[in-house]
Short mmCIF file of all heavy atoms in Angstrom, two decimals:
data_model
loop_
_atom_site.label_atom_id
_atom_site.label_comp_id
_atom_site.label_asym_id
_atom_site.label_seq_id
_atom_site.Cartn_x
_atom_site.Cartn_y
_atom_site.Cartn_z
N SER R 1 -61.93 106.24 -159.41
CA SER R 1 -62.44 104.99 -158.86
C SER R 1 -62.53 103.93 -159.95
O SER R 1 -62.50 104.26 -161.14
CB SER R 1 -63.76 105.21 -158.16
OG SER R 1 -64.75 105.64 -159.05
N TRP R 2 -62.67 102.71 -159.53
CA TRP R 2 -62.69 101.58 -160.45
C TRP R 2 -63.80 100.62 -160.04
O TRP R 2 -63.91 100.28 -158.87
CB TRP R 2 -61.34 100.87 -160.40
CG TRP R 2 -61.17 99.88 -161.49
CD1 TRP R 2 -61.40 98.53 -161.43
CD2 TRP R 2 -60.78 100.14 -162.83
NE1 TRP R 2 -61.16 97.95 -162.64
CE2 TRP R 2 -60.78 98.93 -163.52
CE3 TRP R 2 -60.44 101.31 -163.51
CZ2 TRP R 2 -60.45 98.83 -164.86
CZ3 TRP R 2 -60.10 101.20 -164.84
CH2 TRP R 2 -60.10 99.98 -165.50
N PRO R 3 -64.62 100.13 -160.99
CA PRO R 3 -65.67 99.19 -160.62
C PRO R 3 -65.13 97.77 -160.43
O PRO R 3 -64.28 97.32 -161.20
CB PRO R 3 -66.62 99.24 -161.82
CG PRO R 3 -65.74 99.61 -162.97
CD PRO R 3 -64.66 100.49 -162.40
N VAL R 4 -65.62 97.12 -159.38
CA VAL R 4 -65.29 95.70 -159.17
C VAL R 4 -66.60 94.94 -159.07
O VAL R 4 -67.62 95.48 -158.64
CB VAL R 4 -64.44 95.46 -157.89
CG1 VAL R 4 -63.09 96.14 -158.01
CG2 VAL R 4 -65.16 95.92 -156.63
N GLU R 5 -66.58 93.71 -159.50
CA GLU R 5 -67.78 92.87 -159.47
C GLU R 5 -67.78 92.03 -158.20
O GLU R 5 -66.79 91.40 -157.87
CB GLU R 5 -67.81 91.97 -160.71
CG GLU R 5 -69.14 91.28 -160.92
CD GLU R 5 -70.30 92.24 -161.10
OE1 GLU R 5 -70.17 93.24 -161.84
OE2 GLU R 5 -71.36 92.00 -160.49
N THR R 6 -68.91 92.07 -157.47
CA THR R 6 -69.06 91.28 -156.26
C THR R 6 -70.31 90.41 -156.40
O THR R 6 -71.08 90.58 -157.35
CB THR R 6 -69.23 92.18 -155.01
OG1 THR R 6 -70.54 92.76 -155.03
CG2 THR R 6 -68.16 93.24 -154.93
N ALA R 7 -70.53 89.53 -155.44
CA ALA R 7 -71.74 88.70 -155.44
C ALA R 7 -72.99 89.56 -155.29
O ALA R 7 -74.09 89.12 -155.63
CB ALA R 7 -71.66 87.68 -154.31
N PHE R 8 -72.83 90.78 -154.79
CA PHE R 8 -73.95 91.68 -154.57
C PHE R 8 -74.18 92.63 -155.75
O PHE R 8 -75.16 93.36 -155.78
CB PHE R 8 -73.72 92.51 -153.30
CG PHE R 8 -73.46 91.66 -152.10
CD1 PHE R 8 -72.19 91.57 -151.56
CD2 PHE R 8 -74.48 90.94 -151.50
CE1 PHE R 8 -71.94 90.79 -150.46
CE2 PHE R 8 -74.24 90.15 -150.39
CZ PHE R 8 -72.97 90.07 -149.87
N GLY R 9 -73.25 92.64 -156.70
CA GLY R 9 -73.32 93.55 -157.83
C GLY R 9 -72.06 94.40 -157.90
O GLY R 9 -71.16 94.27 -157.06
N PRO R 10 -71.97 95.28 -158.89
CA PRO R 10 -70.77 96.10 -159.06
C PRO R 10 -70.66 97.18 -157.98
O PRO R 10 -71.66 97.75 -157.55
CB PRO R 10 -70.95 96.73 -160.43
CG PRO R 10 -72.40 96.67 -160.71
CD PRO R 10 -72.95 95.51 -159.95
N VAL R 11 -69.42 97.42 -157.53
CA VAL R 11 -69.12 98.44 -156.53
C VAL R 11 -67.92 99.24 -157.00
O VAL R 11 -66.92 98.67 -157.44
CB VAL R 11 -68.80 97.80 -155.15
CG1 VAL R 11 -68.39 98.86 -154.15
CG2 VAL R 11 -69.97 96.99 -154.62
N GLU R 12 -68.03 100.57 -156.94
CA GLU R 12 -66.90 101.44 -157.27
C GLU R 12 -65.92 101.45 -156.09
O GLU R 12 -66.33 101.54 -154.93
CB GLU R 12 -67.37 102.86 -157.54
CG GLU R 12 -68.18 103.02 -158.81
CD GLU R 12 -67.33 102.94 -160.06
OE1 GLU R 12 -66.17 103.42 -160.04
OE2 GLU R 12 -67.82 102.43 -161.06
N VAL R 13 -64.63 101.35 -156.41
CA VAL R 13 -63.59 101.38 -155.39
C VAL R 13 -62.64 102.53 -155.70
O VAL R 13 -62.15 102.65 -156.83
CB VAL R 13 -62.81 100.04 -155.34
CG1 VAL R 13 -61.67 100.11 -154.35
CG2 VAL R 13 -63.76 98.90 -155.00
N LYS R 14 -62.41 103.40 -154.71
CA LYS R 14 -61.44 104.49 -154.86
C LYS R 14 -60.05 103.89 -154.74
O LYS R 14 -59.77 103.14 -153.82
CB LYS R 14 -61.64 105.54 -153.77
CG LYS R 14 -62.95 106.25 -153.84
CD LYS R 14 -63.06 107.22 -152.67
CE LYS R 14 -64.47 107.70 -152.53
NZ LYS R 14 -64.66 108.45 -151.28
N ILE R 15 -59.18 104.24 -155.67
CA ILE R 15 -57.83 103.69 -155.70
C ILE R 15 -56.86 104.63 -155.02
O ILE R 15 -56.81 105.82 -155.32
CB ILE R 15 -57.39 103.43 -157.16
CG1 ILE R 15 -58.33 102.43 -157.82
CG2 ILE R 15 -55.95 102.94 -157.21
CD1 ILE R 15 -58.11 102.26 -159.30
N ALA R 16 -56.08 104.08 -154.08
CA ALA R 16 -55.04 104.86 -153.39
C ALA R 16 -53.70 104.52 -154.02
O ALA R 16 -53.37 103.34 -154.22
CB ALA R 16 -55.02 104.50 -151.90
N ARG R 17 -52.93 105.55 -154.33
CA ARG R 17 -51.62 105.35 -154.97
C ARG R 17 -50.54 106.10 -154.22
O ARG R 17 -50.80 107.14 -153.62
CB ARG R 17 -51.65 105.86 -156.40
CG ARG R 17 -52.58 105.09 -157.26
CD ARG R 17 -52.51 105.56 -158.68
NE ARG R 17 -53.54 104.82 -159.40
CZ ARG R 17 -54.15 105.23 -160.44
NH1 ARG R 17 -53.84 106.37 -160.97
NH2 ARG R 17 -55.07 104.51 -161.02
N LEU R 18 -49.33 105.59 -154.31
CA LEU R 18 -48.15 106.25 -153.77
C LEU R 18 -47.04 106.07 -154.79
O LEU R 18 -46.72 104.94 -155.17
CB LEU R 18 -47.75 105.63 -152.42
CG LEU R 18 -46.53 106.22 -151.74
CD1 LEU R 18 -46.78 107.69 -151.37
CD2 LEU R 18 -46.19 105.43 -150.50
N ASN R 19 -46.51 107.18 -155.26
CA ASN R 19 -45.46 107.15 -156.29
C ASN R 19 -45.86 106.32 -157.50
O ASN R 19 -45.06 105.56 -158.05
CB ASN R 19 -44.14 106.63 -155.70
CG ASN R 19 -43.61 107.52 -154.62
OD1 ASN R 19 -43.73 108.74 -154.68
ND2 ASN R 19 -43.03 106.92 -153.59
N GLY R 20 -47.13 106.43 -157.89
CA GLY R 20 -47.61 105.73 -159.07
C GLY R 20 -48.00 104.28 -158.85
O GLY R 20 -48.54 103.65 -159.75
N GLN R 21 -47.75 103.75 -157.67
CA GLN R 21 -48.07 102.36 -157.36
C GLN R 21 -49.40 102.28 -156.61
O GLN R 21 -49.66 103.11 -155.74
CB GLN R 21 -46.98 101.72 -156.50
CG GLN R 21 -45.63 101.64 -157.17
CD GLN R 21 -45.63 100.70 -158.35
OE1 GLN R 21 -46.18 99.62 -158.30
NE2 GLN R 21 -45.00 101.12 -159.44
N ILE R 22 -50.20 101.30 -156.94
CA ILE R 22 -51.46 101.09 -156.22
C ILE R 22 -51.13 100.51 -154.85
O ILE R 22 -50.47 99.47 -154.75
CB ILE R 22 -52.39 100.15 -157.00
CG1 ILE R 22 -52.78 100.78 -158.33
CG2 ILE R 22 -53.63 99.80 -156.18
CD1 ILE R 22 -53.51 99.85 -159.27
N ILE R 23 -51.58 101.20 -153.80
CA ILE R 23 -51.30 100.73 -152.44
C ILE R 23 -52.57 100.31 -151.69
O ILE R 23 -52.49 99.80 -150.58
CB ILE R 23 -50.53 101.78 -151.61
CG1 ILE R 23 -51.33 103.07 -151.51
CG2 ILE R 23 -49.15 102.02 -152.21
CD1 ILE R 23 -50.77 104.06 -150.50
N GLY R 24 -53.72 100.54 -152.30
CA GLY R 24 -54.96 100.13 -151.64
C GLY R 24 -56.17 100.64 -152.36
O GLY R 24 -56.09 101.35 -153.36
N GLY R 25 -57.32 100.28 -151.81
CA GLY R 25 -58.58 100.72 -152.38
C GLY R 25 -59.65 100.76 -151.31
O GLY R 25 -59.63 99.97 -150.37
N THR R 26 -60.57 101.71 -151.45
CA THR R 26 -61.67 101.87 -150.50
C THR R 26 -62.99 101.84 -151.25
O THR R 26 -63.20 102.66 -152.16
CB THR R 26 -61.53 103.21 -149.74
OG1 THR R 26 -60.26 103.26 -149.11
CG2 THR R 26 -62.63 103.36 -148.70
N PRO R 27 -63.88 100.92 -150.87
CA PRO R 27 -65.18 100.87 -151.54
C PRO R 27 -65.96 102.16 -151.31
O PRO R 27 -65.90 102.76 -150.23
CB PRO R 27 -65.90 99.69 -150.85
CG PRO R 27 -64.81 98.89 -150.23
CD PRO R 27 -63.73 99.85 -149.88
N GLU R 28 -66.70 102.60 -152.34
CA GLU R 28 -67.53 103.79 -152.23
C GLU R 28 -68.66 103.51 -151.23
O GLU R 28 -69.46 102.59 -151.42
CB GLU R 28 -68.13 104.14 -153.60
CG GLU R 28 -67.13 104.56 -154.63
CD GLU R 28 -66.74 106.02 -154.51
OE1 GLU R 28 -67.32 106.74 -153.69
OE2 GLU R 28 -65.84 106.43 -155.26
N TYR R 29 -68.71 104.31 -150.17
CA TYR R 29 -69.66 104.08 -149.08
C TYR R 29 -71.11 104.07 -149.56
O TYR R 29 -71.87 103.16 -149.23
CB TYR R 29 -69.48 105.13 -147.98
CG TYR R 29 -70.55 105.06 -146.94
CD1 TYR R 29 -70.49 104.10 -145.93
CD2 TYR R 29 -71.65 105.92 -146.98
CE1 TYR R 29 -71.50 104.01 -144.99
CE2 TYR R 29 -72.65 105.82 -146.03
CZ TYR R 29 -72.57 104.87 -145.04
OH TYR R 29 -73.57 104.77 -144.11
N GLU R 30 -71.51 105.09 -150.31
CA GLU R 30 -72.91 105.20 -150.72
C GLU R 30 -73.36 104.02 -151.58
O GLU R 30 -74.49 103.54 -151.45
CB GLU R 30 -73.17 106.52 -151.45
CG GLU R 30 -73.20 107.72 -150.53
CD GLU R 30 -74.28 107.63 -149.44
OE1 GLU R 30 -75.38 107.12 -149.70
OE2 GLU R 30 -73.99 108.08 -148.32
N THR R 31 -72.48 103.54 -152.45
CA THR R 31 -72.82 102.38 -153.28
C THR R 31 -73.02 101.15 -152.39
O THR R 31 -74.00 100.42 -152.54
CB THR R 31 -71.71 102.10 -154.31
OG1 THR R 31 -71.49 103.26 -155.09
CG2 THR R 31 -72.08 100.94 -155.22
N CYS R 32 -72.09 100.94 -151.46
CA CYS R 32 -72.18 99.79 -150.55
C CYS R 32 -73.42 99.88 -149.68
O CYS R 32 -74.11 98.88 -149.46
CB CYS R 32 -70.93 99.70 -149.68
SG CYS R 32 -69.44 99.27 -150.58
N ARG R 33 -73.73 101.08 -149.18
CA ARG R 33 -74.89 101.27 -148.32
C ARG R 33 -76.18 100.94 -149.07
O ARG R 33 -77.05 100.24 -148.57
CB ARG R 33 -74.95 102.70 -147.80
CG ARG R 33 -76.08 102.95 -146.80
CD ARG R 33 -76.37 104.42 -146.61
NE ARG R 33 -76.71 105.10 -147.85
CZ ARG R 33 -77.87 104.99 -148.49
NH1 ARG R 33 -78.82 104.21 -148.02
NH2 ARG R 33 -78.09 105.65 -149.60
N ALA R 34 -76.27 101.43 -150.31
CA ALA R 34 -77.47 101.18 -151.12
C ALA R 34 -77.63 99.69 -151.43
O ALA R 34 -78.75 99.15 -151.35
CB ALA R 34 -77.40 101.99 -152.41
N ILE R 35 -76.54 99.03 -151.75
CA ILE R 35 -76.60 97.59 -152.04
C ILE R 35 -77.00 96.82 -150.79
O ILE R 35 -77.85 95.93 -150.85
CB ILE R 35 -75.25 97.09 -152.59
CG1 ILE R 35 -75.01 97.64 -153.99
CG2 ILE R 35 -75.20 95.57 -152.60
CD1 ILE R 35 -73.62 97.39 -154.53
N ALA R 36 -76.39 97.15 -149.65
CA ALA R 36 -76.70 96.47 -148.40
C ALA R 36 -78.18 96.61 -148.05
O ALA R 36 -78.84 95.64 -147.66
CB ALA R 36 -75.83 97.01 -147.27
N GLU R 37 -78.69 97.82 -148.21
CA GLU R 37 -80.11 98.06 -147.92
C GLU R 37 -81.01 97.28 -148.87
O GLU R 37 -81.97 96.63 -148.43
CB GLU R 37 -80.39 99.56 -148.04
CG GLU R 37 -81.78 99.95 -147.60
CD GLU R 37 -81.97 101.45 -147.63
OE1 GLU R 37 -81.20 102.16 -146.96
OE2 GLU R 37 -82.89 101.89 -148.34
N LYS R 38 -80.69 97.32 -150.14
CA LYS R 38 -81.51 96.64 -151.16
C LYS R 38 -81.49 95.12 -150.97
O LYS R 38 -82.51 94.45 -151.11
CB LYS R 38 -81.00 97.00 -152.55
CG LYS R 38 -81.78 96.39 -153.67
CD LYS R 38 -81.25 96.82 -155.02
CE LYS R 38 -82.03 96.16 -156.14
NZ LYS R 38 -81.50 96.51 -157.45
N LYS R 39 -80.31 94.57 -150.67
CA LYS R 39 -80.15 93.12 -150.55
C LYS R 39 -80.46 92.60 -149.15
O LYS R 39 -80.52 91.39 -148.94
CB LYS R 39 -78.73 92.70 -150.94
CG LYS R 39 -78.30 93.10 -152.33
CD LYS R 39 -78.88 92.18 -153.36
CE LYS R 39 -78.31 92.54 -154.73
NZ LYS R 39 -78.73 91.62 -155.75
N GLY R 40 -80.57 93.51 -148.17
CA GLY R 40 -80.85 93.09 -146.80
C GLY R 40 -79.68 92.38 -146.13
O GLY R 40 -79.87 91.44 -145.37
N VAL R 41 -78.48 92.85 -146.45
CA VAL R 41 -77.27 92.27 -145.85
C VAL R 41 -76.51 93.37 -145.10
O VAL R 41 -76.71 94.56 -145.38
CB VAL R 41 -76.36 91.62 -146.91
CG1 VAL R 41 -77.07 90.44 -147.57
CG2 VAL R 41 -75.91 92.62 -147.94
N PRO R 42 -75.63 93.00 -144.18
CA PRO R 42 -74.85 94.01 -143.47
C PRO R 42 -73.93 94.79 -144.41
O PRO R 42 -73.36 94.23 -145.35
CB PRO R 42 -74.01 93.20 -142.47
CG PRO R 42 -74.74 91.90 -142.32
CD PRO R 42 -75.38 91.65 -143.64
N LEU R 43 -73.79 96.07 -144.14
CA LEU R 43 -72.91 96.94 -144.91
C LEU R 43 -71.49 96.39 -144.94
O LEU R 43 -70.84 96.37 -145.98
CB LEU R 43 -72.92 98.35 -144.31
CG LEU R 43 -71.93 99.36 -144.89
CD1 LEU R 43 -72.20 99.60 -146.36
CD2 LEU R 43 -72.02 100.67 -144.11
N ARG R 44 -71.02 95.93 -143.80
CA ARG R 44 -69.64 95.38 -143.73
C ARG R 44 -69.43 94.21 -144.68
O ARG R 44 -68.33 94.02 -145.19
CB ARG R 44 -69.32 94.95 -142.30
CG ARG R 44 -69.16 96.11 -141.37
CD ARG R 44 -68.82 95.65 -139.99
NE ARG R 44 -68.76 96.79 -139.09
CZ ARG R 44 -68.39 96.73 -137.84
NH1 ARG R 44 -68.04 95.57 -137.32
NH2 ARG R 44 -68.37 97.80 -137.10
N GLU R 45 -70.48 93.43 -144.88
CA GLU R 45 -70.37 92.28 -145.79
C GLU R 45 -70.16 92.74 -147.24
O GLU R 45 -69.34 92.18 -147.98
CB GLU R 45 -71.63 91.44 -145.67
CG GLU R 45 -71.49 90.04 -146.20
CD GLU R 45 -72.70 89.18 -145.88
OE1 GLU R 45 -73.24 89.26 -144.76
OE2 GLU R 45 -73.11 88.42 -146.79
N VAL R 46 -70.89 93.77 -147.63
CA VAL R 46 -70.74 94.32 -148.98
C VAL R 46 -69.36 94.95 -149.14
O VAL R 46 -68.68 94.73 -150.15
CB VAL R 46 -71.85 95.35 -149.29
CG1 VAL R 46 -71.65 95.98 -150.66
CG2 VAL R 46 -73.23 94.71 -149.18
N GLU R 47 -68.93 95.73 -148.14
CA GLU R 47 -67.60 96.35 -148.19
C GLU R 47 -66.50 95.30 -148.25
O GLU R 47 -65.55 95.45 -149.02
CB GLU R 47 -67.40 97.25 -146.97
CG GLU R 47 -68.26 98.49 -146.99
CD GLU R 47 -68.14 99.32 -145.72
OE1 GLU R 47 -67.95 98.74 -144.63
OE2 GLU R 47 -68.24 100.55 -145.83
N ALA R 48 -66.64 94.23 -147.48
CA ALA R 48 -65.64 93.16 -147.48
C ALA R 48 -65.56 92.49 -148.85
O ALA R 48 -64.47 92.18 -149.34
CB ALA R 48 -65.94 92.14 -146.39
N ALA R 49 -66.71 92.27 -149.46
CA ALA R 49 -66.74 91.65 -150.80
C ALA R 49 -66.05 92.56 -151.82
O ALA R 49 -65.31 92.08 -152.68
CB ALA R 49 -68.18 91.36 -151.21
N ALA R 50 -66.29 93.86 -151.71
CA ALA R 50 -65.66 94.81 -152.64
C ALA R 50 -64.15 94.85 -152.43
O ALA R 50 -63.38 94.86 -153.39
CB ALA R 50 -66.26 96.20 -152.46
N ARG R 51 -63.71 94.86 -151.17
CA ARG R 51 -62.26 94.85 -150.89
C ARG R 51 -61.61 93.58 -151.42
O ARG R 51 -60.51 93.63 -151.98
CB ARG R 51 -62.02 94.98 -149.39
CG ARG R 51 -62.17 96.37 -148.87
CD ARG R 51 -61.67 96.49 -147.42
NE ARG R 51 -62.16 97.71 -146.85
CZ ARG R 51 -63.26 97.81 -146.12
NH1 ARG R 51 -63.96 96.75 -145.83
NH2 ARG R 51 -63.65 98.98 -145.66
N ALA R 52 -62.27 92.45 -151.23
CA ALA R 52 -61.73 91.17 -151.71
C ALA R 52 -61.62 91.16 -153.23
O ALA R 52 -60.60 90.72 -153.79
CB ALA R 52 -62.59 90.01 -151.23
N ALA R 53 -62.65 91.66 -153.91
CA ALA R 53 -62.62 91.70 -155.38
C ALA R 53 -61.52 92.64 -155.88
O ALA R 53 -60.81 92.33 -156.84
CB ALA R 53 -63.98 92.15 -155.92
N PHE R 54 -61.37 93.78 -155.20
CA PHE R 54 -60.32 94.73 -155.57
C PHE R 54 -58.93 94.11 -155.35
O PHE R 54 -58.07 94.19 -156.22
CB PHE R 54 -60.46 96.01 -154.75
CG PHE R 54 -59.42 97.04 -155.07
CD1 PHE R 54 -59.53 97.82 -156.21
CD2 PHE R 54 -58.32 97.22 -154.24
CE1 PHE R 54 -58.56 98.76 -156.52
CE2 PHE R 54 -57.36 98.16 -154.54
CZ PHE R 54 -57.48 98.93 -155.68
N SER R 55 -58.74 93.48 -154.20
CA SER R 55 -57.45 92.84 -153.89
C SER R 55 -57.10 91.78 -154.92
O SER R 55 -55.94 91.65 -155.32
CB SER R 55 -57.48 92.21 -152.50
OG SER R 55 -57.55 93.21 -151.53
N LYS R 56 -58.11 91.03 -155.37
CA LYS R 56 -57.86 90.00 -156.38
C LYS R 56 -57.41 90.63 -157.70
O LYS R 56 -56.48 90.14 -158.33
CB LYS R 56 -59.10 89.15 -156.59
CG LYS R 56 -58.89 88.02 -157.60
CD LYS R 56 -59.98 87.02 -157.54
CE LYS R 56 -59.88 85.90 -158.53
NZ LYS R 56 -58.70 85.71 -159.29
N LEU R 57 -58.07 91.72 -158.10
CA LEU R 57 -57.65 92.41 -159.33
C LEU R 57 -56.20 92.88 -159.22
O LEU R 57 -55.43 92.75 -160.17
CB LEU R 57 -58.54 93.62 -159.60
CG LEU R 57 -59.92 93.35 -160.18
CD1 LEU R 57 -60.67 94.67 -160.34
CD2 LEU R 57 -59.82 92.65 -161.52
N VAL R 58 -55.84 93.43 -158.07
CA VAL R 58 -54.48 93.93 -157.87
C VAL R 58 -53.48 92.77 -157.88
O VAL R 58 -52.47 92.82 -158.57
CB VAL R 58 -54.37 94.75 -156.57
CG1 VAL R 58 -52.92 95.10 -156.27
CG2 VAL R 58 -55.21 96.02 -156.67
N SER R 59 -53.77 91.72 -157.11
CA SER R 59 -52.83 90.60 -157.01
C SER R 59 -52.68 89.84 -158.33
O SER R 59 -51.62 89.33 -158.64
CB SER R 59 -53.22 89.64 -155.89
OG SER R 59 -54.43 88.99 -156.19
N ASP R 60 -53.76 89.81 -159.11
CA ASP R 60 -53.69 89.15 -160.42
C ASP R 60 -53.02 90.02 -161.47
O ASP R 60 -52.78 89.58 -162.59
CB ASP R 60 -55.10 88.78 -160.91
CG ASP R 60 -55.72 87.64 -160.13
OD1 ASP R 60 -55.03 86.99 -159.32
OD2 ASP R 60 -56.93 87.39 -160.32
N GLY R 61 -52.76 91.28 -161.12
CA GLY R 61 -52.13 92.21 -162.06
C GLY R 61 -53.09 92.80 -163.07
O GLY R 61 -52.68 93.54 -163.95
N GLU R 62 -54.37 92.50 -162.95
CA GLU R 62 -55.36 93.00 -163.90
C GLU R 62 -55.51 94.51 -163.83
O GLU R 62 -55.64 95.16 -164.85
CB GLU R 62 -56.72 92.34 -163.65
CG GLU R 62 -56.78 90.88 -163.99
CD GLU R 62 -56.57 90.62 -165.47
OE1 GLU R 62 -57.14 91.35 -166.30
OE2 GLU R 62 -55.81 89.71 -165.79
N LEU R 63 -55.50 95.05 -162.64
CA LEU R 63 -55.75 96.47 -162.48
C LEU R 63 -54.60 97.30 -163.00
O LEU R 63 -54.82 98.32 -163.65
CB LEU R 63 -56.01 96.78 -161.00
CG LEU R 63 -56.70 98.10 -160.72
CD1 LEU R 63 -58.02 98.18 -161.43
CD2 LEU R 63 -56.91 98.27 -159.23
N SER R 64 -53.38 96.88 -162.78
CA SER R 64 -52.23 97.66 -163.21
C SER R 64 -52.15 97.78 -164.73
O SER R 64 -51.64 98.73 -165.27
CB SER R 64 -50.93 97.08 -162.66
OG SER R 64 -50.73 95.78 -163.14
N ARG R 65 -52.71 96.80 -165.42
CA ARG R 65 -52.70 96.83 -166.90
C ARG R 65 -53.77 97.79 -167.44
O ARG R 65 -53.67 98.26 -168.55
CB ARG R 65 -52.93 95.44 -167.47
CG ARG R 65 -51.73 94.54 -167.30
CD ARG R 65 -51.98 93.26 -168.03
NE ARG R 65 -52.83 92.39 -167.24
CZ ARG R 65 -52.46 91.20 -166.77
NH1 ARG R 65 -51.28 90.73 -167.03
NH2 ARG R 65 -53.29 90.47 -166.07
N LYS R 66 -54.81 98.04 -166.64
CA LYS R 66 -55.94 98.84 -167.12
C LYS R 66 -55.90 100.28 -166.64
O LYS R 66 -56.48 101.14 -167.26
CB LYS R 66 -57.25 98.20 -166.64
CG LYS R 66 -57.49 96.83 -167.22
CD LYS R 66 -58.75 96.21 -166.66
CE LYS R 66 -58.97 94.83 -167.24
NZ LYS R 66 -60.13 94.17 -166.66
N VAL R 67 -55.25 100.52 -165.52
CA VAL R 67 -55.24 101.88 -164.94
C VAL R 67 -54.05 102.66 -165.41
O VAL R 67 -52.99 102.19 -165.53
CB VAL R 67 -55.26 101.79 -163.39
CG1 VAL R 67 -55.17 103.18 -162.79
CG2 VAL R 67 -56.52 101.11 -162.94
#
């Protein structure tokens, strides 16, 4: 997994790969649930923020240089 920074704090994202290429990422449920509970926001909002942050890292090429 890889940490991404969101407006709610850092969230670990599991990286999905196919033939060595990053094809997606899934936010760690327990981390998102804990943040949502602590911040009083919907779980989906935290997950969406984590997915957006992960997608930005991938599209900017930042993740491929580090992983």
Side-chain angles (χ1 to χ4, degrees):
S1 63
W2 191 263
V4 296
E5 192 59 45
T6 73
F8 305 106
V11 175
E12 291 286 325
V13 176
K14 295 177 193 170
I15 299 172
R17 295 184 185 152
L18 180 64
N19 297 324
Q21 297 293 317
I22 296 171
I23 59 169
T26 304
E28 294 278 355
Y29 172 79
E30 286 301 323
T31 304
C32 292
R33 185 197 57 75
I35 290 171
E37 187 175 302
K38 181 179 179 182
K39 302 282 186 175
V41 296
L43 173 61
R44 289 181 184 185
E45 198 171 319
V46 177
E47 290 175 327
R51 282 190 196 95
F54 180 78
S55 292
K56 182 166 178 10
L57 283 178
V58 172
S59 67
D60 289 351
E62 291 296 316
L63 198 57
S64 61
R65 287 187 280 243
K66 296 177 181 177
V67 176

